[in-house]
Every structure is written in C-alpha cells, then in structure tokens.
Short mmCIF file of all heavy atoms in Angstrom, two decimals:
data_model
loop_
_atom_site.label_atom_id
_atom_site.label_comp_id
_atom_site.label_asym_id
_atom_site.label_seq_id
_atom_site.Cartn_x
_atom_site.Cartn_y
_atom_site.Cartn_z
N LYS H 1 0.84 -1.18 0.00
CA LYS H 1 0.00 0.00 0.00
C LYS H 1 0.88 1.24 0.00
O LYS H 1 1.77 1.38 0.85
CB LYS H 1 -0.91 0.01 1.23
CG LYS H 1 -1.89 1.17 1.25
CD LYS H 1 -2.81 1.09 2.47
CE LYS H 1 -3.78 2.26 2.48
NZ LYS H 1 -4.70 2.21 3.66
N PRO H 2 0.67 2.16 -0.95
CA PRO H 2 1.52 3.36 -1.01
C PRO H 2 1.25 4.30 0.15
O PRO H 2 0.13 4.34 0.69
CB PRO H 2 1.13 4.00 -2.34
CG PRO H 2 -0.25 3.53 -2.59
CD PRO H 2 -0.33 2.13 -2.03
N PRO H 3 2.26 5.07 0.55
CA PRO H 3 2.05 6.06 1.60
C PRO H 3 1.03 7.12 1.17
O PRO H 3 0.87 7.39 -0.02
CB PRO H 3 3.44 6.69 1.80
CG PRO H 3 4.40 5.72 1.18
CD PRO H 3 3.64 5.04 0.08
N VAL H 4 0.38 7.72 2.12
CA VAL H 4 -0.57 8.79 1.83
C VAL H 4 0.18 9.97 1.20
O VAL H 4 1.29 10.32 1.63
CB VAL H 4 -1.29 9.25 3.12
CG1 VAL H 4 -2.22 10.41 2.83
CG2 VAL H 4 -2.05 8.08 3.73
N ASP H 5 -0.41 10.55 0.17
CA ASP H 5 0.17 11.71 -0.52
C ASP H 5 1.50 11.40 -1.20
O ASP H 5 2.28 12.32 -1.51
CB ASP H 5 0.36 12.90 0.44
CG ASP H 5 -0.95 13.40 1.00
OD1 ASP H 5 -1.98 13.30 0.29
OD2 ASP H 5 -0.96 13.88 2.15
N HIS H 6 1.78 10.13 -1.45
CA HIS H 6 3.07 9.76 -2.05
C HIS H 6 3.23 10.37 -3.44
O HIS H 6 4.30 10.89 -3.78
CB HIS H 6 3.20 8.24 -2.14
CG HIS H 6 4.40 7.80 -2.91
ND1 HIS H 6 5.66 7.79 -2.36
CD2 HIS H 6 4.55 7.37 -4.20
CE1 HIS H 6 6.53 7.37 -3.26
NE2 HIS H 6 5.88 7.10 -4.39
N CYS H 7 2.19 10.33 -4.24
CA CYS H 7 2.27 10.83 -5.60
C CYS H 7 2.64 12.31 -5.62
O CYS H 7 3.54 12.74 -6.36
CB CYS H 7 0.93 10.61 -6.31
SG CYS H 7 0.90 11.17 -8.02
N GLU H 8 1.97 13.09 -4.80
CA GLU H 8 2.23 14.53 -4.76
C GLU H 8 3.65 14.80 -4.28
O GLU H 8 4.34 15.70 -4.79
CB GLU H 8 1.22 15.22 -3.85
CG GLU H 8 -0.21 15.26 -4.39
CD GLU H 8 -0.92 13.91 -4.30
OE1 GLU H 8 -0.39 12.99 -3.61
OE2 GLU H 8 -1.99 13.76 -4.91
N GLU H 9 4.12 14.02 -3.29
CA GLU H 9 5.48 14.21 -2.77
C GLU H 9 6.53 13.91 -3.82
O GLU H 9 7.53 14.64 -3.94
CB GLU H 9 5.68 13.31 -1.54
CG GLU H 9 4.89 13.73 -0.32
CD GLU H 9 5.06 12.75 0.83
OE1 GLU H 9 5.86 11.80 0.67
OE2 GLU H 9 4.42 12.95 1.87
N MET H 10 6.31 12.86 -4.61
CA MET H 10 7.29 12.49 -5.63
C MET H 10 7.32 13.52 -6.76
O MET H 10 8.38 13.84 -7.29
CB MET H 10 6.98 11.11 -6.18
CG MET H 10 7.17 9.98 -5.18
SD MET H 10 8.80 10.02 -4.37
CE MET H 10 9.91 9.91 -5.77
N LEU H 11 6.15 14.04 -7.13
CA LEU H 11 6.12 15.06 -8.16
C LEU H 11 6.88 16.31 -7.70
O LEU H 11 7.66 16.90 -8.46
CB LEU H 11 4.67 15.42 -8.50
CG LEU H 11 3.91 14.39 -9.32
CD1 LEU H 11 2.43 14.74 -9.39
CD2 LEU H 11 4.48 14.29 -10.74
N THR H 12 6.67 16.68 -6.46
CA THR H 12 7.38 17.85 -5.92
C THR H 12 8.88 17.60 -5.87
O THR H 12 9.68 18.50 -6.16
CB THR H 12 6.85 18.18 -4.52
OG1 THR H 12 5.44 18.43 -4.58
CG2 THR H 12 7.56 19.40 -3.95
N ALA H 13 9.27 16.37 -5.53
CA ALA H 13 10.70 16.03 -5.40
C ALA H 13 11.44 16.17 -6.71
O ALA H 13 12.64 16.46 -6.72
CB ALA H 13 10.84 14.60 -4.86
N VAL H 14 10.74 15.95 -7.83
CA VAL H 14 11.41 16.05 -9.13
C VAL H 14 11.09 17.38 -9.83
O VAL H 14 11.32 17.53 -11.02
CB VAL H 14 11.04 14.87 -10.05
CG1 VAL H 14 11.53 13.56 -9.46
CG2 VAL H 14 9.54 14.81 -10.33
N GLY H 15 10.58 18.34 -9.08
CA GLY H 15 10.39 19.67 -9.61
C GLY H 15 9.15 19.87 -10.45
O GLY H 15 9.11 20.78 -11.29
N LEU H 16 8.12 19.06 -10.22
CA LEU H 16 6.87 19.18 -10.98
C LEU H 16 5.72 19.55 -10.06
O LEU H 16 5.77 19.31 -8.85
CB LEU H 16 6.55 17.86 -11.70
CG LEU H 16 7.52 17.43 -12.80
CD1 LEU H 16 7.14 16.06 -13.33
CD2 LEU H 16 7.57 18.44 -13.93
N SER H 17 4.68 20.10 -10.66
CA SER H 17 3.50 20.48 -9.89
C SER H 17 2.69 19.25 -9.51
O SER H 17 2.51 18.33 -10.32
CB SER H 17 2.63 21.43 -10.72
OG SER H 17 1.36 21.60 -10.13
N ALA H 18 2.20 19.24 -8.28
CA ALA H 18 1.36 18.13 -7.83
C ALA H 18 0.09 18.02 -8.66
O ALA H 18 -0.53 16.96 -8.73
CB ALA H 18 1.02 18.31 -6.35
N GLY H 19 -0.29 19.11 -9.31
CA GLY H 19 -1.49 19.10 -10.13
C GLY H 19 -1.38 18.25 -11.38
O GLY H 19 -2.39 17.97 -12.04
N LEU H 20 -0.16 17.79 -11.72
CA LEU H 20 0.02 16.94 -12.91
C LEU H 20 -0.40 15.50 -12.68
O LEU H 20 -0.39 14.70 -13.62
CB LEU H 20 1.49 16.97 -13.35
CG LEU H 20 2.00 18.28 -13.96
CD1 LEU H 20 3.49 18.17 -14.27
CD2 LEU H 20 1.22 18.63 -15.21
N ALA H 21 -0.77 15.16 -11.46
CA ALA H 21 -1.10 13.77 -11.13
C ALA H 21 -2.21 13.20 -12.01
O ALA H 21 -2.22 12.00 -12.32
CB ALA H 21 -1.46 13.65 -9.66
N LYS H 22 -3.15 14.05 -12.42
CA LYS H 22 -4.28 13.58 -13.22
C LYS H 22 -4.00 13.63 -14.72
O LYS H 22 -4.85 13.22 -15.52
CB LYS H 22 -5.52 14.42 -12.90
CG LYS H 22 -6.01 14.27 -11.45
CD LYS H 22 -7.25 15.11 -11.20
CE LYS H 22 -7.73 14.97 -9.77
NZ LYS H 22 -8.95 15.79 -9.51
N SER H 23 -2.83 14.12 -15.10
CA SER H 23 -2.49 14.23 -16.52
C SER H 23 -2.04 12.88 -17.07
O SER H 23 -1.82 11.92 -16.33
CB SER H 23 -1.37 15.26 -16.70
OG SER H 23 -1.75 16.52 -16.23
N TYR H 24 -1.88 12.83 -18.40
CA TYR H 24 -1.38 11.63 -19.09
C TYR H 24 -0.08 11.98 -19.80
O TYR H 24 0.18 13.15 -20.11
CB TYR H 24 -2.44 11.12 -20.07
CG TYR H 24 -3.59 10.44 -19.38
CD1 TYR H 24 -4.63 11.19 -18.84
CD2 TYR H 24 -3.62 9.05 -19.26
CE1 TYR H 24 -5.70 10.56 -18.18
CE2 TYR H 24 -4.68 8.42 -18.60
CZ TYR H 24 -5.71 9.17 -18.07
OH TYR H 24 -6.74 8.55 -17.41
N PRO H 25 0.76 10.98 -20.08
CA PRO H 25 2.07 11.25 -20.67
C PRO H 25 2.04 12.12 -21.92
O PRO H 25 2.91 12.97 -22.11
CB PRO H 25 2.62 9.85 -20.97
CG PRO H 25 2.00 8.99 -19.92
CD PRO H 25 0.61 9.55 -19.74
N HIS H 26 1.04 11.93 -22.78
CA HIS H 26 1.01 12.69 -24.03
C HIS H 26 0.79 14.18 -23.81
O HIS H 26 1.01 14.99 -24.71
CB HIS H 26 -0.07 12.14 -24.97
CG HIS H 26 -1.47 12.48 -24.57
ND1 HIS H 26 -2.19 11.71 -23.68
CD2 HIS H 26 -2.27 13.53 -24.91
CE1 HIS H 26 -3.38 12.25 -23.51
NE2 HIS H 26 -3.47 13.35 -24.25
N GLN H 27 0.37 14.55 -22.61
CA GLN H 27 0.12 15.95 -22.30
C GLN H 27 1.37 16.66 -21.76
O GLN H 27 1.32 17.86 -21.50
CB GLN H 27 -1.02 16.06 -21.28
CG GLN H 27 -2.35 15.53 -21.79
CD GLN H 27 -3.42 15.51 -20.71
OE1 GLN H 27 -3.27 14.86 -19.68
NE2 GLN H 27 -4.49 16.26 -20.96
N LEU H 28 2.45 15.92 -21.59
CA LEU H 28 3.66 16.47 -20.99
C LEU H 28 4.77 16.63 -22.02
O LEU H 28 4.79 15.95 -23.05
CB LEU H 28 4.16 15.56 -19.86
CG LEU H 28 3.15 15.20 -18.77
CD1 LEU H 28 3.82 14.36 -17.70
CD2 LEU H 28 2.54 16.46 -18.15
N SER H 29 5.72 17.52 -21.74
CA SER H 29 6.90 17.68 -22.58
C SER H 29 7.88 16.54 -22.33
O SER H 29 7.73 15.77 -21.36
CB SER H 29 7.57 19.02 -22.27
OG SER H 29 8.13 18.99 -20.96
N GLY H 30 8.92 16.45 -23.17
CA GLY H 30 9.92 15.39 -23.00
C GLY H 30 10.63 15.49 -21.66
O GLY H 30 10.86 14.48 -20.98
N GLY H 31 10.99 16.71 -21.26
CA GLY H 31 11.65 16.89 -19.97
C GLY H 31 10.76 16.51 -18.80
O GLY H 31 11.21 15.90 -17.82
N GLN H 32 9.47 16.85 -18.89
CA GLN H 32 8.53 16.48 -17.83
C GLN H 32 8.36 14.97 -17.77
O GLN H 32 8.30 14.39 -16.67
CB GLN H 32 7.19 17.15 -18.07
CG GLN H 32 7.18 18.65 -17.83
CD GLN H 32 5.86 19.28 -18.20
OE1 GLN H 32 5.22 18.93 -19.21
NE2 GLN H 32 5.40 20.24 -17.39
N ARG H 33 8.29 14.34 -18.92
CA ARG H 33 8.16 12.87 -18.93
C ARG H 33 9.37 12.21 -18.29
O ARG H 33 9.23 11.22 -17.54
CB ARG H 33 8.01 12.37 -20.36
CG ARG H 33 6.72 12.77 -21.03
CD ARG H 33 6.59 12.07 -22.37
NE ARG H 33 5.56 12.70 -23.20
CZ ARG H 33 5.06 12.14 -24.29
NH1 ARG H 33 5.48 10.96 -24.67
NH2 ARG H 33 4.15 12.76 -25.00
N GLN H 34 10.56 12.74 -18.58
CA GLN H 34 11.74 12.11 -17.98
C GLN H 34 11.76 12.32 -16.47
O GLN H 34 12.21 11.45 -15.72
CB GLN H 34 13.02 12.66 -18.62
CG GLN H 34 14.28 11.84 -18.32
CD GLN H 34 14.17 10.41 -18.81
OE1 GLN H 34 13.36 9.60 -18.31
NE2 GLN H 34 15.00 10.06 -19.77
N ARG H 35 11.26 13.45 -16.00
CA ARG H 35 11.14 13.66 -14.55
C ARG H 35 10.16 12.66 -13.94
O ARG H 35 10.37 12.18 -12.82
CB ARG H 35 10.70 15.10 -14.26
CG ARG H 35 11.78 16.14 -14.54
CD ARG H 35 11.26 17.56 -14.39
NE ARG H 35 12.25 18.55 -14.77
CZ ARG H 35 13.07 19.17 -13.92
NH1 ARG H 35 12.99 18.90 -12.62
NH2 ARG H 35 13.95 20.05 -14.36
N ILE H 36 9.11 12.34 -14.67
CA ILE H 36 8.17 11.31 -14.20
C ILE H 36 8.87 9.96 -14.13
O ILE H 36 8.69 9.19 -13.17
CB ILE H 36 6.94 11.23 -15.12
CG1 ILE H 36 6.14 12.54 -15.07
CG2 ILE H 36 6.05 10.05 -14.72
CD1 ILE H 36 5.61 12.91 -13.71
#
C-alpha cells in the first residue's frame, strides 16, 4: 500500500506540480516525462 500523498510528494521532489497527477504522458513535454 503506497504512503498517503506519495504521488504529490514524488512530483514535488522532481520539480513538478502536484497538479500533474491527473495528466497523461502525451500531455507532458519530454523533460517532464523524464522527470516522471
């Protein structure tokens, strides 16, 4: 079971907005995808 708020924490750790959690890969740039 993943930790609570894990997704948002990981996005923040790699310099991305937590709001990207609901996005899909095709909506992101190459640099954003590599951060994911």
